[in-house]
């Protein structure tokens, strides 16, 4: 067939392969979705539009669509939950789609998700007000576009890893997220690591592994 | 001669032409310095190294060198002072040369200068502690390299214009100040305008005009 | 809620938070518009299209749409006017949308606005003819695309701050405004500071603060 | 003084502030080193050259220099060790300086460090041979220059987070690490997050927090 | 006429000129297609959409359209086949269009084509499983987007030339194939050469010449 | 009004102002077209689409549309012709729109135009065959996309100025003409100067001035 | 030998091949210089340092060195002079080396050279004062770094071709001349064409051909 | 040890691992050189300076240094020669170091090398004169900097694969080889593939594999 599913991944990490729908036809996406679903695990497709979902739903009626986050999910497995708390923080209203992709992923893979919205650094009191909540998190995912300053400030407010997700929000020299990305890679807060622009999924995947590691011990 | 001095500028703005030494030979720099000095105003040369200063001192013995800021100054005019206060804030110790260029310029052109150092956003309490001081300023100059997040946070703490100066501090994708520049141009704080990388002088020049405009009224 | 409005900004600077509509749904935009309007201030949404306006108008019937500038405004407050004059100058006919965003913002926030249009530097006599008018301004906002040379020439004609706004006008290596931006950041006129591409709003916001500062004294 | 040390960081995260020496004079570096040392913690300065070390040694005789990694360390605290194992893997001999910066940091902050060297993907059998060793790690730090492909392959071999460190190794379109950085940010392995070029320190800092989080539970 | 066909190319290399349809109108494309067809050789047009094909079919009824690969072909010549085997390998399902362009070209020009699909390096066992098959190839064409790591690993698995084709698959800093391109140009495997993004045709053309050279001897 | 026409240009150079339609509404374009037409000269609008032409035709019925070149012209003046010959050469069929913009401009402004098409350097015999024709030209305009090599080869075949026009033809790292532009700026043929991507108009304008200068003497 | 001199060029254009010394050893440079000199023409080597000159002088004692312009010349031929006047204008003192390269080339190849220095656009009266002189030129060469605005303004002041030479003068986002280059390519003055950064030689070469063309008629 | 030599490569491809000296200390280079030498094959180190050679010579007295090409070689094996002819063509004298790296590699690995120098496209007759010689080659390696046009023209003159090597020769927007690289990737000649800037070694390595493949049959 046209796709070779990496079932081995579930063995390695306890987390299944996830479908990146953007470059695939609805038919390809649906076929892969069905094959992964057949193995009994929870299934996730990201960057999926309405046409992808329509095709998936035909083959896998139990699948759900999250329009804002452009995700398709199937909950079926007794996916073991872990005790970790993952805070998903975003700088502005426009960063919500990326933050939701992260939150849905983190939740589907068994974590407790804490959503904190519209706490951009240009009105710093709004962020400072969230400090008590933030300090309950085991990992923080920080989504921001434009100047991407949120992770630097957040990084200095918590003692846990911060995973920074640049978003493609902004105009002009926001460069569809490149400025936010570069800013985050230069963060003065050394507890910051970074993923690709708009990659809420990847951030949540790593956050889940961090929490599961804690669990194991 | 090889240089045509813009004496007209003093008439227009009350501030004399300033020498950008970096691209000039010591001899060219000294000759221009002397010619401007002859008109009686305070004189400033920026991006000047020790060789530039040696040549200037030969022709204009009263000139002073500021090694950290790489500036040569001559104070002679009864340069009218203005009542404005210009805060020059920098994110880290490494941004000091640029901040000093700004501070020396602002002072030479008649302003009260407030220096606030090493208040990067990764330990936000250090910056918040300066709020009372910051609120006495008529303009704020914010110098930062790496992710350049300082102006965004500062912009939300004051009600006056913030002039952001990206510095060439950092490594890797700091890109010698480009990341900080892009970050600042994308600032969510709408009271922020930006100058070229390491251009402390330009920031202070505009800050001075802002304060002098207040004076006039 | 999905948005945390920074009401604190009005206290800090006398100017309310402004809505950046581009990344928001019409519904989100309208909801935020209504909440800010409820606090009694003048309201502004930028980068808003017809769909944004339709949603806003449903909730806030008094709102107006400025199609060329893509702005929605609500005038209601006794927004105190200031005595300053803000000149909004643009290089070509194609820069008008950005210039209008600046002019509408400056006017809504209480200033006297002077519009000067199509005075590109390639026919310099057209700009020189405006010198008397330009010299009445307290701040100049200069909008230009393509080579972005206008602020450099303007900067040498006035003794007040020039805020340069690169526009996304041009083709080929105009790079949607990046060339104009870079050109402006390198301006030989030291009274020039720069904002993001097409950010007429930000320029007018800072210009307003400059004028209000003069007022205070 | 010229530096405001963030002592608060030790409280937040159990890890002290670290000195970035590159932009500082030897004297500034030594003064800050001494002040942090006085608080009793282990001290680390990164990107430090021989001149930095000479100045530090004068004030803090117990400090050690790691020439390959360009690090200065002082071991004094009863820095609590954690049980985690951090694998530091590098693609080629030329990546060793960055890998050593990571290894020294991880060790100083209390972890067990596993060094695996010269396992670039162009001779994949060398990497596959390390699988048993790799699977004992709690976090993997992967350092690579040129095409930066190592983290993608590694990511598929382990079930724990991989922190990718692009190095400035290579020539031509290696672009001093930019190509490796971009490659890593696009990794198909979703357990990969990325730090700035040559930032071995930051990778080890986050790796330490991940391991300490496991400890806590 | 508007086009001068390079018939000389068939003499030089045994392979006819190929039509790059993307920049041409359907009518221009069809006219050129017909003229090349008239000389009796197999004809190929690349980057052709449905409108191009409709126009071609009118003039040349025997032409076929390959929708996934966006190619139009006409098989008519007794194009001499060569004995070489060309493996066309792709990293993911989304790279299929480019891989198909390569496969169709290689086949039309007389080679044996071996298609190997979805063997990305993040699940390396899938690629290792293909080693026996790969070792029968005389040239390998490797198509990959995102981090473009496939050619580096493949290069170390075979003893023949690898022609790397970056694809425009991915998002964010995949930069429409630029990251994959840069990655491939930096490959540690010295048997790798590279063609333009999405240029499956060029890779297959060169692969054909390599095989035909072997034939000649 | 919204536009200030530079009538002075006709006096300076004998050539009228030309309308760049791309950034203007049809109404603005038509109004400016009519005002220039009223002064009696030949009129040209570039980068104009069908909507622009419809509006122009309403106000100026004699105007003509050149769809391939996206130009609107009005011939009315006794525009003095000059004796110069301008060769407009293009590398491939896809470069025709840009070449036509140049040819129409050169013709409207009074020159003899020589069109030479599809002589790309990859089949060099096609170009060499045009040598006799090329040597009758007073200026050569060379339009090419992709690798932009045509002007370098042409430059070595003639003894007159070559004006290179990069076109946005190509894909992948053609970067919409940037590669051709860079290539042309690096030309080893010192009789080459360059204009913006797709700027056939500018090339023809300068070519006209060169020929008219010859005339004058 | 290692070099094949293009003697054919003198026949084509009346101007000899010129040596680009930067990438060559002193010995290579000298050997080529001597071989061209032997053919009796005037000889020019550009981008030559003192070591290049020392080697040349040994073989060709009559050669002269122009340190500021980094040129070596040999005047020996009865190089026919032409009647054209070439104005070489530069924006600031720091642009002099590039302007001198242009002036020396233009003079060696038989033209009348008019040098106009330090007429940057930030004090526009200095440039306007040169209008009478400028109007005597047959071609204008305009050298500028930083924002590169000079050619746009100049282009509007004369009716002849302007050849724009970006210089590597400036810092920060001057990007060693790239900003000036981009700015010039976007010039609103359509009589502007552009050469590579710091390529005074190429500008003068084309300017000479333009003047010689006028002569011929 | 710090290096894991890929002895497996000789088995795979008949060609040994080659040392990239640039990022290694002289001692590391020498140690690896000695270990590879011990296995009896011919040894090559590229991008090696005098210090690297001094260290190698101490351990391996029979090693030779090629200063222009910056290569160290050891000839000892009965490296089987192949019958293929590899033409190494360069555009200008300044490209010689890269061309020599290619030529030395091709020769050491058993091929017949044909060196053709200084045949840049700006004097096309020089290249056309080499056609008979070029047509004896089984593969052509084309080295060029600046605009990188050579491979496009060469590609149209031969019926075998052309491997294009961009060189870092040039200034300004030559961008140390990037322009040549981009130009080559966009070549209209479909028999062109490309390697990294200055990577003469890689080109020769692949050329050798192509020739050896021919041999096998
Ligand atoms: N056109 C604009 N460009 C840049 N910033 C803007 C613009 N319009 C509004 N803003 C700012 O963007 C912020 C709103 O961000 P958000 O929370 O995402 O709505 C406000 O603080 C405004 O000051
Ligand atoms: N090599 C490094 N790369 C990135 N950040 C670093 C490095 N070394 C130290 N730091 C961080 O940089 C900050 C020091 O900034 P400064 O105030 O300029 O000394 C500290 O908070 C460190 O956590
Ligand atoms: N997909 C493709 N990518 C790159 N070059 C192509 C492609 N398809 C055809 N070509 C080449 O482009 C040239 C055609 O250019 P043109 O004269 O514009 O039709 C031919 O010589 C082909 O070898
Ligand atoms: N295609 C074109 N490319 C560049 N400049 C142009 C083009 N067409 C017209 N122009 C110039 O652009 C200027 C018009 O600018 P505007 O005032 O915005 O109409 C005129 O001075 C023309 O010389
Ligand atoms: Mg908000
Ligand atoms: Mg600090
Ligand atoms: Mg106009
Ligand atoms: Mg190795
Ligand atoms: Mg897959
Ligand atoms: Mg063609
Ligand atoms: Mg000057
Ligand atoms: Mg030569």
């Amino acid at each position: 067939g046209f796709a070779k599913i990496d079932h081995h991944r579930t063995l390695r990490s306890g987390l299944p392969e996830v479908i990146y729908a953007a470059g695939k036809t609805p038919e390809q996406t649906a076929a892969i979705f069905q094959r992964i679903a057949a193995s009994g695990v929870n299934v996730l497709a990201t960057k999926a539009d309405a046409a992808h979902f329509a095709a998936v739903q035909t083959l896998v009626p139990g699948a759900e669509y999250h329009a804002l986050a452009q995700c398709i999910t199937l909950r079926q497995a007794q996916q073991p939950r872990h005790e970790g708390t993952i805070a998903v923080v975003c700088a502005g209203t426009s960063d919500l789609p990326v933050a939701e992709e992260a939150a849905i992923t983190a939740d589907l893979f068994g974590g407790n998700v804490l959503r904190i919205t519209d706490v951009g650094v240009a009105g710093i009191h709004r962020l400072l007000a969230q400090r008590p909540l933030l300090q309950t998190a085991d990992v923080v995912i920080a989504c921001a576009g434009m100047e991407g300053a949120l992770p630097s400030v957040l990084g200095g407010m918590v003692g846990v890893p911060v995973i920074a997700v640049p978003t493609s929000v902004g105009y002009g020299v926001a460069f569809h997220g490149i400025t936010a990305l570069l800013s985050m890679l230069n963060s003065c807060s050394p507890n910051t690591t970074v993923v690709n622009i708009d990659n809420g999924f990847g951030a949540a995947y790593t956050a889940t592994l961090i929490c599961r590691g804690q669990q194991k011990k």
Side-chain angles (χ1 to χ4, degrees), chain A:
Chain A
F2 56 82
K4 300 191 173 43
I5 294 163
D6 181 10
H7 291 303
H8 183 254
R9 196 186 289 180
T10 319
L11 296 180
R12 273 195 316 266
S13 65
L15 301 177
E17 185 163 357
V18 166
I19 303 159
Y20 169 65
K24 306 200 172 63
T25 63
E27 293 66 37
Q28 290 173 332
T29 305
I32 301 177
F33 200 100
Q34 190 180 36
R35 281 169 56 197
I36 299 183
S39 76
V41 297
N42 278 349
V43 190
L44 173 64
T46 63
K47 314 290 178 207
D49 58 26
H52 286 116
F53 179 55
V56 167
Q57 214 179 12
T58 311
L59 298 190
V60 186
E64 274 178 286
Y65 190 51
H66 309 261
L68 184 64
Q70 295 204 276
C71 289
I72 309 171
T73 55
L74 178 74
R75 287 177 183 278
Q76 60 175 347
Q78 288 308 88
Q79 173 86 45
R81 298 196 72 81
H82 57 81
E83 280 165 34
T85 296
I86 298 174
V88 178
V89 186
C90 78
T93 308
S94 318
D95 302 312
L96 272 176
V98 179
E100 272 304 291
E101 185 186 280
I104 287 166
T105 303
D107 174 71
L108 192 78
F109 289 167
N112 305 312
V113 176
L114 202 61
R115 285 169 169 90
I116 302 178
T117 304
D118 199 24
V119 288
V121 301
I124 195 76
H125 54 288
R126 298 178 300 180
L127 180 57
L128 298 175
Q130 308 293 328
R131 197 195 293 256
L133 208 57
L134 281 165
Q135 281 171 343
T136 67
D138 294 289
V139 197
V140 176
I141 293 174
C143 307
M146 300 170 94
E147 79 267 61
L150 182 62
S152 285
V153 179
L154 261 176
M157 291 170 64
V158 299
V160 299
V162 173
I163 304 179
V165 190
T167 72
S168 51
V169 168
Y171 65 94
V173 293
F175 291 140
H176 304 289
I178 297 175
T179 294
L181 172 75
L182 294 175
S183 183
M184 290 165 174
L185 285 165
N186 278 291
S187 176
C188 294
S189 293
N191 49 343
T192 307
T193 61
V194 186
V195 296
N196 194 4
I197 297 166
D198 290 337
N199 189 6
F201 154 68
Y205 194 100
T206 290
T208 302
L209 290 183
I210 291 174
C211 291
R212 289 169 63 100
Q214 295 179 0
Q215 203 81 342
K216 252 190 340 216
K217 302 278 158 150

